[in-house]
Amino acid sequence: MKLAWYSDLTKTEKKTYWASLGGYTLDSMDTTIYSLVIPILLSIHFLTKTDAGVLGSVALIGSAIGGWGAGLMADRFGRVRVMQLTVLWVAFFTAATAFCDHFWPFFVIRFCQGLGYGGEVVVGAVLISEVIRADYRGRVAASIQSGYAIGYAISLATLPLLLAFFPETRAWRVFFLVGIIPAALVWFIRRLVPESSTFSTATPDRNTSITAIFSAPYRRITLISTLLASGIFGDAYIMITWLPTYLRLTLGLPVTSMSGYLTINILGSLIGPFLYGLMSDHIGRWRAVMILLVAQSLVVSLYMFVSIDMTSTCSAENDFGLICN
C-alpha cells in the first residue's frame, strides 16, 4: 500500500491540498462543536430535544443552499476568493453563537453557519478536482475528508479542557467563541494559494443558467449524484449530530466513556478517507463507495443493537449523568 503520493505533488498542488484540508478541518471543528454541546444544552434546559433537532436540521438545509450558492459564486468570482469568504463566514457565525440567549437567534445563526460550511466543502472539492492531476485526484480528494476527523478530534479534546475551568452554563459559550480560530487560515489561503487555472483561463458564460445541469446531457448524472450524496451525507450527519447525545443520554455513558467511543469513531473517519482514495484509484469510484457504505451500515448496526452494560461500573444519578464506582 503506497502512501508516497504526497511527495509527487507539485508545489501548487501541495499548497492547494493544505488549503483545502485546513479549511475543511477547521470548519468541521466549528460544526462539530454543536453536536458535543447538545447534552449540555439539554441538561441546563437551554434547549429541548425538539429544539436541538430543529437546529441540527436547519444547519443542514443551510449547507445544501450554501453549496449551490457558493458553486455559483465560485464560477463568477473564483474558487480561492470564495473559499476565503466561506471560511470567514463559518468562523464568524460559530463565534456569534456564544451570544445567543434563546432559540430563535440560535436558529438564524445555525442556518447561516450551515451556508458557509456547505459552501466551503463544495468550493474546496472543486479546487482540488481542477488542480490535482487525474492520477492522484482520488487519493488527494479522499484524504481531504480526513479533515473532518481532525476537526472533530480538536473539538473533542477542547471540551474537557473548557469544562475544567468553566461551569457548563458558561463553558458552551466559550466553546463556540473558540470557533473564531479558523479565520486565521484566510491569511494562508490569500497569500500562498493560487487560483485554479481552469477558472483563470476560462471565458465566463454569463447566460448559462443553473438549470443547465438538468439538461439532457447532464440530467442522469446530476440526479444520480444528488440522490447518492443526499443519502450518504444525510446518514452521516445524523450520526455526527446525535451520536454524543445518544451515548450520553440514551446509553447513559459518563463523559470519559463517551469520549472513548467518539475517539474510535474519529479514528475510523481519519483512516477511511485514505483507504477510500487508494481503493477508488484502483478499483473505481463506484465500487469503493459501495464497499464503504456497507461498512457504514455495519457501524450503525453495532451502535443500535450491541448491548453496552454499564450496571457493573456505574449507578444512575439523574437523566443526564452517572456516578461511577
Side-chain angles (χ1 to χ4, degrees):
M1 183 180 295
K2 296 182 179 180
L3 295 175
W5 51 263
Y6 177 79
S7 62
D8 292 333
L9 300 180
T10 65
K11 288 184 178 180
T12 297
E13 288 175 325
K14 288 179 179 178
K15 290 177 181 178
T16 303
Y17 172 81
W18 285 112
S20 299
L21 178 62
Y24 190 43
T25 295
L26 294 175
D27 281 357
S28 295
M29 180 193 80
D30 280 358
T31 56
T32 53
I33 288 174
Y34 176 70
S35 64
L36 292 174
V37 302
I38 287 178
I40 295 176
L41 297 177
L42 293 176
S43 67
I44 65 175
H45 305 292
F46 186 89
L47 296 175
T48 66
K49 290 182 180 179
T50 300
D51 292 338
V54 169
L55 292 175
S57 296
V58 77
L60 294 180
I61 293 171
S63 294
I65 297 173
W68 285 82
L72 291 171
M73 292 175 63
D75 285 342
R76 178 69 63 94
F77 303 110
R79 287 54 162 136
V80 173
R81 186 176 298 179
V82 175
M83 179 180 283
Q84 294 175 47
L85 173 63
T86 56
V87 171
L88 284 174
W89 186 279
V90 172
F92 173 79
F93 282 103
T94 300
T97 311
F99 302 98
C100 292
D101 55 3
H102 55 87
F103 173 78
W104 287 110
F106 213 147
F107 180 92
V108 173
I109 288 174
R110 284 288 294 166
F111 175 77
C112 291
Q113 186 196 43
L115 287 175
Y117 182 70
E120 190 280 326
V121 171
V122 167
V123 176
V126 171
L127 190 61
I128 285 293
S129 68
E130 292 179 345
V131 174
I132 304 299
R133 286 164 287 167
D135 290 346
Y136 295 112
R137 192 172 298 147
R139 277 163 281 188
V140 172
S143 69
I144 295 296
Q145 302 303 308
S146 67
Y148 155 73
I150 300 171
Y152 203 171
I154 295 172
S155 294
L156 188 61
T158 302
L159 181 57
L161 294 176
L162 295 177
L163 290 173
F165 291 97
F166 301 98
E168 287 188 339
T169 53
R170 186 178 301 175
W172 73 268
R173 296 184 185 274
V174 178
F175 201 9
F176 278 114
L177 282 176
V178 171
I180 198 66
I181 292 175
L185 180 67
V186 172
W187 180 90
F188 171 82
I189 296 174
R190 185 174 183 179
R191 294 291 298 272
L192 300 177
V193 182
E195 182 56 81
S196 161
S197 60
T198 301
F199 172 79
S200 300
T201 60
T203 301
D205 185 354
R206 305 298 184 187
N207 296 320
T208 300
S209 169
I210 193 172
T211 58
I213 62 174
F214 295 101
S215 60
Y218 312 110
R219 185 182 301 121
R220 182 175 179 273
I221 190 64
T222 296
L223 293 176
I224 291 175
S225 299
T226 299
L227 289 172
L228 179 64
S230 298
I232 293 174
F233 287 109
D235 290 345
Y237 282 110
I238 288 172
M239 285 197 65
I240 292 168
T241 301
W242 287 107
L243 185 56
T245 303
Y246 176 73
L247 294 174
R248 180 83 182 273
L249 304 186
T250 302
L251 298 186
L253 298 180
V255 174
T256 52
S257 297
M258 181 189 77
S259 297
Y261 279 93
L262 292 177
T263 299
I264 294 173
N265 181 265
I266 289 169
L267 183 62
S269 298
L270 180 65
I271 297 172
F274 291 97
L275 292 177
Y276 171 78
L278 291 170
M279 291 166 59
S280 68
D281 281 342
H282 285 86
I283 66 174
R285 315 316 192 203
W286 286 105
R287 289 180 180 177
V289 166
M290 295 308 297
I291 290 172
L292 293 187
L293 285 179
V294 170
Q296 176 71 355
S297 299
L298 294 175
V299 171
V300 174
S301 298
L302 288 174
Y303 276 118
M304 291 297 297
F305 301 114
V306 173
S307 176
I308 301 176
D309 184 11
M310 299 295 294
T311 57
S312 61
T313 57
C314 295
S315 60
E317 177 185 27
N318 53 46
D319 291 337
F320 302 104
L322 293 171
I323 298 175
C324 293
N325 297 322

